[in-house]
Amino acid sequence: MLDISCAELASRLDANAPIALLDVREDWELEICAIDQALHIPLSQLSGRLDELAPDIPLAIICHHGVRSRHAGLLLEDHGFKELFNVRGGIDVWALEVERDMSRYD
């Protein structure tokens, strides 16, 4: 698993590059802010919902700050996913650098 910056992820999403985005935050967090292109599967449900992900497509994983997304990436690696990216700084940095009008939370 590699790290990807929020700016690089935004660029790849804008260019329709082959990359999917997985948000592993909880439902209540998505009520505050979310990225439209992201598939939402809370980390606690991920192992039971692996069939919703395509293992042959590069996958960026995001959470609030980058810890849960790293755990999700390790789980996915254990299940054969190859091209995984942990979004460095999570949605908090996304809100600071990419979508500056996005709500933030602690």
Side-chain angles (χ1 to χ4, degrees):
M1 176 175 29
L2 301 171
D3 282 349
I4 189 171
S5 71
C6 291
E8 183 180 352
L9 175 60
S11 177
R12 289 182 72 170
L13 291 171
D14 288 345
N16 292 319
I19 192 164
L21 178 59
L22 172 65
D23 190 327
V24 297
R25 296 176 301 138
E26 297 297 322
D27 291 339
W28 68 266
E29 293 174 283
L30 259 68
E31 292 175 12
I32 298 169
C33 60
I35 300 170
D36 290 338
Q37 299 97 317
L39 169 65
H40 175 235
I41 303 175
L43 179 58
S44 61
Q45 298 175 17
L46 186 57
S47 62
R49 296 176 61 185
L50 295 175
D51 60 333
E52 296 178 41
L53 302 169
D56 56 335
I57 295 175
L59 181 63
I61 311 162
I62 196 165
C63 65
H64 189 204
H65 290 115
V67 176
R68 285 175 285 176
S69 53
R70 180 151 314 273
H71 288 291
L74 294 172
L75 176 105
L76 292 170
E77 281 180 335
D78 287 346
H79 284 86
F81 287 76
K82 301 284 184 219
E83 201 169 350
L84 300 169
F85 300 91
N86 184 43
V87 181
R88 193 171 42 248
I91 199 140
D92 195 52
V93 170
W94 181 273
L96 290 169
E97 295 180 355
V98 179
E99 283 188 57
R100 291 184 178 95
D101 59 343
M102 178 181 274
S103 296
R104 295 176 60 219
Y105 61 99
D106 292 327

